[in-house]
Amino acid sequence: MNVKSFPYRLYLVISEEACPHYDFIKVAEEAIKGGVDIIQLREKKDASSQFLKKAVELKKVLDRYQIPLIINDNLEVAIKSGAAGIHVGNTDLTPTEIRKQWPQCEILGYSIEYLEQLYNEQTYSSDYLGISPVYNTDTKTNTVTTWGIDGVQSICSKTEKPLVAIGNMKASNAKKVVEAGADCIAVVSAICSDSNPLKAAQLLKQEIDQGINNRAATHKI
């Protein structure tokens, strides 16, 4: 994927466990109607067979809306489900190895937890970088760096790769994180835990779009 061809702005990371109000498939579809552009299925506790079953079910819905499916960590599930891509972290199969085993991968994401990673071959092999986490979150506790706004700005100044910010992201902070340089905002509970996923997605998308507009206006000055 070309650096400039990452058109996604609102990225939903979903799991069955993260959705207390509705079935995760319903949450995904409502979120898409509200403005989600890309969805990652993250099922850390499932066996591959169960993970695959969910991925196939989710992809049927996503295909109707032409929304890409990303699989968290599991290359077997990503390939067998026909997903568009995969997202990995520092303790998972490396992006370079994924490229060898799955040359058809369209979207390969890689989480950045310290600045030195910006200069390794795993980053060069990736299509986008996950800034993980921007803020502390209960969803992911085994993290190295909490980036904050300064961290987002620092990464943005050092790479041309599209940047996806995740970690306690919500409507109240999405705009300033985009203004700091993130290209896309990834959320879990801000949509999955909301009793109205469609409206939650709409509000997030509005804040992201405003942040993008503000950043563009600033760069023109």
Side-chain angles (χ1 to χ4, degrees):
M1 175 182 282
N2 184 282
V3 167
K4 301 301 181 187
S5 66
F6 192 86
Y8 315 108
R9 295 291 175 256
L10 180 52
Y11 187 135
L12 176 61
V13 181
I14 199 168
S15 68
E16 187 172 36
E17 185 179 52
C19 301
H21 301 293
Y22 312 103
D23 176 82
F24 79 99
I25 297 293
K26 176 179 172 63
V27 172
E29 187 163 17
E30 290 295 297
I32 291 167
K33 291 174 183 176
V36 161
D37 305 299
I38 184 169
I39 295 181
Q40 179 190 138
L41 182 60
R42 184 178 188 264
E43 293 288 1
K44 288 283 194 179
K45 298 176 182 177
D46 282 0
S48 285
S49 58
Q50 182 64 16
F51 194 170
L52 178 59
K53 183 180 177 183
K54 290 179 182 178
V56 170
E57 187 182 1
L58 180 58
K59 187 173 184 295
K60 287 178 183 176
V61 174
L62 269 55
D63 284 352
R64 293 206 302 268
Y65 295 92
Q66 297 183 302
I67 297 293
L69 172 64
I70 306 298
I71 297 296
N72 182 264
D73 297 354
N74 194 313
L75 183 60
E76 177 189 5
V77 170
I79 294 172
K80 287 185 176 179
S81 67
I86 188 169
H87 186 92
V88 294
N90 291 277
T91 58
D92 306 315
L93 193 64
T94 63
T96 50
E97 187 60 33
I98 289 168
R99 292 293 187 200
K100 291 175 188 174
Q101 295 189 32
W102 189 24
Q104 297 82 14
C105 179
E106 298 172 31
I107 308 172
L108 177 47
Y110 180 55
S111 289
I112 294 296
E113 295 191 345
Y114 45 95
L115 284 175
E116 287 76 15
Q117 284 178 273
L118 289 173
Y119 310 106
N120 69 26
E121 62 178 335
Q122 307 312 328
T123 293
Y124 301 145
S125 299
S126 304
D127 294 311
Y128 72 87
L129 303 178
I131 307 174
S132 174
V134 177
Y135 302 110
N136 287 324
T137 173
D138 293 336
T139 309
K140 194 170 175 66
T141 55
N142 59 334
T143 52
V144 177
T145 307
T146 301
W147 290 104
I149 293 295
D150 290 345
V152 174
Q153 291 173 330
S154 180
I155 294 171
C156 183
S157 70
K158 293 175 171 63
T159 183
E160 292 290 312
K161 294 277 184 181
L163 303 177
V164 177
I166 189 167
N168 207 10
M169 297 305 309
K170 46 197 170 186
S172 60
N173 58 27
K175 182 165 64 176
K176 63 182 179 182
V177 172
V178 171
E179 289 171 348
D183 300 288
C184 179
I185 297 296
V187 301
V188 184
S189 59
I191 288 177
C192 292
S193 295
D194 199 286
S195 59
N196 192 327
L198 189 153
K199 283 191 176 179
Q202 285 178 330
L203 182 55
L204 276 156
K205 196 65 172 287
Q206 287 170 9
E207 293 298 308
I208 293 166
D209 289 347
Q210 184 63 57
I212 290 169
N213 292 338
N214 290 351
R215 193 169 76 196
T218 300
H219 287 167
K220 286 180 184 176
I221 296 174

